[in-house]
Every structure is written in structure tokens, then in C-alpha cells.
Amino acid sequence: MADGIEHHTTGGITRRATLAGAVAALGLAAAGTPTSLRAAAPFTFASIDGGTLALGDWAGRPVLVVNTASLCAFTPQYEELQTLWERYRERGLVVLAVPSNDFRQELGSEEEVREFCEVTFGLDLPMTEITRVRGPSAHPFYRWLAAEHGFRPRWNFNKVLIGPDGMPVRSWGSGASPLSASVVGEIEALLDP
């Protein structure tokens, strides 16, 4: 493929095909997007707990980024995301939840989201503030995924696995369980032994 990334029939990323293809794709990066192999590293998010979550702080580690919502039929996946975080964080995995109201299923404030997630699911994984993930006012990370890698969340709980090199490895839709063999297999292949 021209961009060096294999895609699902739904347009999501499935695997990094070649390093050369990834470099070629990045050479055409739009203004304001990264142009190195650590492509995701320059992006930062506002943390729901205050401060900043910088993808660059997790360089060299796989990061599963999931756009989430508190009032969605897929919201119980938070429990599985927490399980992934607990099971694999010592081996390098980061699970980043990105609450979004783009599909009109998020609570009204960061405080409500944080309290709901802590009380209902015992979440302690990294979480951003409520963030746009689609369209021209989407967070720059999601604009980069759309422009450079053809990935746009179609609904809540779409998942993108960023490899240790900062490049997207694979994506899954809402229906893919975070603990499915497909998701876990891709993650385990990238983890420290």
C-alpha cells in the first residue's frame, strides 16, 4: 500500500507493514504533525486528574488508546481495560482512556466521569479530559491518525494500539473486547518478556 500500513476493510489500521513504508508516509505529514519514527511522541493530552499526559513519556512502550464514554452500551469494557492495565503494566503496556462526547454518550464534566469510573469500575489507568476525537476540531492525535493512517473512531470504545516506536500497529472497533485473543495477542507481541 502507498502508506506502508495494511488496513481493514473498514479503514482501520491492522499492522505496520514496513518500516520504509511508514517513513515514506511520514514524509508527507501535514503541518503540525510529527515527522519522525516516534510519530505519536509529540502529542499530549490534558489529564482528567490535572496536568498533562505526554505520549512521549511512554516512548518505547506499547500504548492502547481507547476513546470512551460513560453512557454507552460498550461502557462495561472499562472493566476489561482496567484488567489489561493491571495485567500488563509491569511489562510495559500503557492503557489510555480518552473520554469523548462526540457520540453524545458522555457525562457532563470531568469530575462526573472520574467519579463514575472510579466508583463503578475501580479505574486507575491514565485518562484524559473529555476530548474531541472526530472532525476538524478533534484532538491533534486523532487528526494525525485520520490524516496519516486512515483511522477515525466510528463509535465509542474504538481501540488503537501504538507500538513502542510510536507508530500505529492495529485498530479495533467497539465490538472487540479488550481481552479478546486478537487484542491481547497484538499487545503481548510488543511487551517486555
Side-chain angles (χ1 to χ4, degrees):
M1 295 194 152
D3 64 1
I5 305 289
E6 296 177 23
H7 294 272
H8 289 259
T9 55
T10 59
I13 306 149
T14 55
R15 310 192 164 271
R16 194 174 45 247
T18 66
L19 184 60
V23 172
L26 287 171
L28 303 174
T33 60
T35 56
S36 73
L37 286 179
R38 298 243 181 244
F43 296 112
T44 62
F45 291 86
S47 171
I48 201 164
D49 295 318
T52 302
L53 297 167
L55 293 180
D57 289 346
W58 300 318
R61 300 169 66 181
V63 181
L64 183 67
V65 183
V66 184
N67 64 296
T68 62
S70 302
L71 305 173
C72 179
F74 294 104
T75 300
Q77 287 187 15
Y78 267 134
E79 185 173 345
E80 294 183 37
L81 293 171
Q82 180 67 25
T83 298
L84 275 179
W85 171 240
E86 291 170 1
R87 184 181 296 169
Y88 295 115
R89 69 179 156 196
E90 294 300 318
R91 291 180 57 200
L93 178 67
V94 176
V95 178
L96 177 62
V98 182
S100 178
N101 196 35
D102 283 7
F103 303 104
R104 304 189 194 309
Q105 294 191 315
E106 188 51 273
L107 297 169
S109 72
E110 278 81 18
E111 183 59 36
E112 290 174 291
V113 172
R114 182 174 48 247
E115 183 176 336
F116 171 78
C117 289
E118 286 174 0
V119 170
T120 309
F121 300 104
L123 248 59
D124 69 352
L125 53 83
M127 182 177 279
T128 72
E129 290 182 346
I130 298 171
T131 302
R132 298 292 310 263
V133 298
R134 290 184 57 90
S137 52
H139 185 280
F141 172 77
Y142 281 97
R143 290 197 317 263
W144 169 72
L145 283 176
E148 298 299 322
H149 302 287
F151 175 79
R152 291 168 187 81
R154 292 179 175 215
W155 194 247
N156 303 309
F157 289 88
N158 279 209
K159 302 148 194 79
V160 176
L161 181 60
I162 304 298
D165 63 359
M167 296 298 293
V169 174
R170 183 157 182 194
S171 66
W172 296 269
S174 305
S177 160
L179 294 176
S180 69
S182 172
V183 176
V184 170
E186 290 286 348
I187 289 169
E188 287 184 342
L190 300 173
L191 293 174
D192 294 333

